[in-house]
Amino acid sequence: MTGIRRYIRFYVGNAYHELATIAPTRTLLDWLREERGLTGTKEGCNEGDCGACTVLVVRLEGERLVWRAVNACIQFVSMLDGAQVLTIEDMRAPDGSLHPVQQAMVDHHGSQCGFCTPGFVMSMVAGRKAAGLGQDERGIDDMLAGNLCRCTGYAPIVRAMRHAMQAGPDHFDAMADDMAARLRTLRDGTTVDMAGPTGRLTIPATVDALAHTLLENPDSRIVAGATDVGLWVTKGLRDLPHVIAIGQIADLRRIEVTPQGLFLGAAVTWQEARAALAEILPQPDEEVFRRIGSVQVRNAGTVCGNIANGSPIGDGPPVLIAAGATVHLRRGDTRRTLALEDFFIDYGKQDRAPGEFVEGITIPVPAPDTVIRGWKVSKRFDQDISAILGAFSLTLAPDGTISNPRIAFGGMAATPRRALRTEEALAGQKWNDATLEAARAAIMADFTPLTDMRASAWYRSTVAANLLTRLYADCGPQAARVPTSVHAACTATGDHAHG
Ligand SMILES: Cc1cc2nc3c(=O)[nH]c(=O)nc-3n(C[C@H](O)[C@H](O)[C@H](O)COP(=O)(O)OP(=O)(O)OC[C@H]3O[C@@H](n4cnc5c(N)ncnc54)[C@H](O)[C@@H]3O)c2cc1C
Ligand code: FES
Ligand code: FES
């Protein structure tokens, strides 16, 4: 540790701010609107769903400026140390002309009542800045999935985005060197520790500083991306007396290939992890990780936060369990590694001692003959929580014999859990109609799901079995030939697995 700073500092637009007293859970949205008078950023849902509050957070990573759209309603001001925040008020160029995205929204009638418009504009500006986002129709849909509009029907907005993607540089391009130089001055490698009106904020500079702070303050609360914790504050109205913000700890932002597999540090976001995950888990990346929240949520939310949160309907754990991931835990200077499935003990209970934290996860690189699949089943394609998520890994010998089956489900029990009886029904068997039927029966014995607002117990059990059929149709040796009896069963039970 090179010293302690008693305040946080960041830019909003071109204005430099130092804050020595702020509640660690003060949301960026409230602060912008109530203390800065920047009311162009709107409050819609206050829970990360509607995108009306979208702002850009720009950071200097290495020597590269990285632009991210995030939901200001579930970002805490305390997480912005060292960043530049841009709001809709910053989008006009210094000469007063509209940003190319704003101009495209005008030209293509992308706004009616206008309430959602600032949020859309911010997502579109971020999309232009982020390589690989919004380059094609699907990319545009993905980029705008986190913004809701009640008026326009989206077609004009999508047209505006298509044109904005082709438009020339904006005024930020000309300012990039200045922005980088400014952000460079905010780098000091210092731990922040400050007292606010409702609690204490610590931003450890290193993972060692984190380990010791947590050991000394086991009742403190780690905040990574705040996409779960933010809702405890905005909807649960909870105060957190001591927040430890870990999102910018360099040691925790590592994405590395090790002899054991792909390592993701605890501060790696879903959006950052996706390219590496897609390399080893291409189908689950497409079917599951692409559908975690929205760009704004994936830009803030971390893979390890999804695990540490321990939700039975988190989308990451079932896929990562099926893939054989391990979780690395650290308490003080003591480290241990667990199979990910063993981390989840019961509803709301994980194998994590006071003062212990998740340092990262490792996902083994699948062998070439291993098939890994995951399917998220939810009422909407975008921005929805899973009713059920099934993830499957198995190795198929050339003669169709199954080995090493690993099957995990979310939404079927109090924790993300393996389907051990189903695995037993598959292991060593030939992948054929009879084995599928045996596995479908076994899955009923594996789980006794609940009925809740997302799905009935009957629906969950039926879909779980039907996902096995889907696996069989998708990658069994008889791929594409689903047996008639199973097909009839699917139809009768109303399988809308990809609904
Ligand atoms: C609009 C919206 C949509 C969403 N959609 C989805 C979805 O489709 N699928 C899905 O699975 N989730 C979804 N989520 C939930 C959330 O985005 C994910 O769970 C995310 O991965 C959480 O990561 P985070 O970094 O934001 O966690 P945080 O909110 O920062 O933390 C979550 C919990 O984990 C703890 N924690 C975080 N990091 C560590 C660590 N390193 N060690 C120990 N404890 C730690 C925190 O103390 C807290 O208890 C959604 C959330 C929102 C707001
Ligand atoms: S106000 Fe709806 S996402 Fe923030
Ligand atoms: S223009 Fe009215 S909500 Fe989008």
Side-chain angles (χ1 to χ4, degrees):
M1 200 182 305
T2 56
I4 302 284
R5 185 152 40 84
R6 301 290 178 194
Y7 57 90
I8 54 170
R9 53 193 191 169
F10 54 92
Y11 285 88
V12 176
N14 292 324
Y16 175 71
H17 293 276
E18 280 181 7
L19 301 179
T21 56
I22 184 160
T25 53
R26 178 81 160 139
T27 69
L28 176 58
L29 178 63
D30 286 350
W31 185 80
L32 286 172
R33 290 179 59 86
E34 293 168 9
E35 291 181 40
R36 307 307 314 155
L38 295 171
T39 52
T41 306
K42 304 298 181 199
E43 177 177 330
C45 63
N46 216 16
E47 61 181 38
D49 276 317
C50 74
C53 65
T54 304
V55 297
L56 297 184
V57 173
V58 186
R59 288 192 182 272
L60 188 62
E61 295 186 355
E63 287 308 302
R64 198 166 63 96
L65 281 181
V66 180
W67 302 62
R68 295 190 180 91
V70 299
N71 294 310
C73 65
I74 50 170
Q75 285 284 291
F76 302 141
V77 178
S78 55
M79 296 160 63
L80 296 168
D81 191 53
Q84 179 169 17
V85 178
L86 298 175
T87 67
I88 191 68
E89 286 84 356
D90 300 304
M91 292 302 112
R92 267 180 195 270
D95 67 3
S97 58
L98 293 181
H99 188 279
V101 161
Q102 292 174 304
Q103 191 58 54
M105 287 287 268
V106 172
D107 294 344
H108 295 276
H109 308 285
S111 181
Q112 287 187 24
C113 81
F115 190 81
C116 69
T117 309
F120 269 100
V121 167
M122 301 311 280
S123 289
M124 291 163 144
V125 173
R128 274 172 47 106
K129 299 286 180 201
L133 270 186
Q135 303 298 325
D136 54 19
E137 293 298 305
R138 207 189 82 150
I140 290 177
D141 286 350
D142 281 355
M143 188 195 322
L144 301 182
N147 293 82
L148 300 183
C149 175
R150 287 295 188 193
C151 306
T152 63
Y154 299 104
I157 298 176
V158 170
R159 267 198 298 278
M161 184 64 212
R162 230 179 265 146
H163 280 79
M165 291 305 287
Q166 311 304 327
D170 60 20
H171 62 285
F172 297 116
D173 292 319
M175 292 161 51
D177 288 346
D178 289 345
M179 287 168 74
R182 248 188 208 170
L183 290 174
R184 206 169 288 119
T185 65
L186 302 187
R187 282 177 172 170
D188 61 2
T190 299
T191 287
V192 172
D193 198 5
M194 59 186 252
T198 63
R200 178 177 166 196
L201 167 69
T202 308
I203 311 176
T206 64
V207 69
D208 291 340
L210 165 64
H212 293 113
T213 306
L214 208 56
L215 201 56
E216 286 156 19
N217 303 275
D219 294 331
S220 56
R221 171 63 59 181
I222 286 185
V223 173
T227 60
D228 282 311
V229 174
L231 273 67
W232 306 355
V233 172
T234 62
K235 299 292 154 172
L237 306 182
R238 273 175 68 176
D239 278 330
L240 301 176
H242 184 182
V243 164
I244 303 185
I246 65 166
Q248 297 309 311
I249 299 177
D251 295 334
L252 296 182
R253 296 187 46 72
R254 285 183 296 128
I255 301 179
E256 279 174 7
V257 179
T258 70
Q260 287 70 43
L262 174 67
F263 172 84
L264 302 176
V268 174
T269 66
W270 279 110
Q271 199 66 15
E272 290 164 335
R274 277 198 58 207
L277 287 171
E279 291 271 319
I280 59 168
L281 304 172
Q283 187 275 354
D285 177 68
E286 175 70 22
E287 289 283 337
V288 178
F289 305 147
R290 174 186 168 213
R291 294 175 57 200
I292 290 185
S294 56
V295 170
Q296 291 94 319
V297 170
R298 295 192 296 274
N299 270 340
T302 58
V303 179
C304 290
N306 195 241
I307 290 168
N309 195 47
S311 164
I313 44 172
D315 287 337
V319 175
L320 298 170
I321 289 172
T326 51
V327 57
H328 308 291
L329 296 156
R330 175 167 173 183
R331 184 171 185 276
D333 293 324
T334 307
R335 291 183 165 91
R336 65 192 176 113
T337 293
L338 285 180
L340 181 54
E341 58 266 39
D342 295 337
F343 181 65
F344 302 106
I345 297 173
D346 202 346
Y347 184 76
K349 188 166 182 226
Q350 293 88 44
D351 184 354
R352 189 162 70 82
E356 194 169 39
F357 65 99
V358 176
E359 201 165 16
I361 56 163
T362 297
I363 307 141
V365 177
D369 52 356
T370 300
V371 167
I372 301 191
R373 295 287 184 271
W375 287 289
K376 169 172 177 164
V377 181
S378 56
K379 289 182 182 169
R380 282 189 319 234
F381 185 82
D382 288 313
Q383 276 274 53
D384 204 357
I385 302 292
S386 294
I388 169 173
L389 195 154
F392 309 86
S393 166
L394 46 86
T395 305
L396 276 178
D399 71 350
T401 304
I402 301 166
S403 57
N404 304 320
R406 292 179 64 88
I407 299 179
F409 277 87
M412 292 292 285
T415 61
R417 233 184 57 197
R418 276 175 79 177
L420 294 174
R421 290 189 179 91
T422 311
E423 291 177 7
E424 211 175 296
L426 291 173
Q429 302 298 318
K430 290 269 168 48
W431 202 195
N432 57 27
D433 294 3
T435 304
L436 172 62
E437 290 301 347
R440 284 178 58 94
I443 213 154
M444 299 298 169
D446 266 320
F447 296 109
T448 312
L450 290 176
T451 292
D452 66 12
M453 63 179 177
R454 292 202 172 80
S456 65
W458 172 85
Y459 179 87
R460 288 191 156 106
S461 298
T462 305
V463 171
N466 288 352
L467 287 178
L468 275 167
T469 304
R470 185 169 190 176
L471 176 74
Y472 184 69
D474 193 50
C475 56
Q478 331 229 4
R481 192 188 70 76
V482 181
T484 323
S485 62
V486 172
H487 197 272
C490 291
T491 314
T493 52
D495 174 20
H496 296 291
H498 201 51

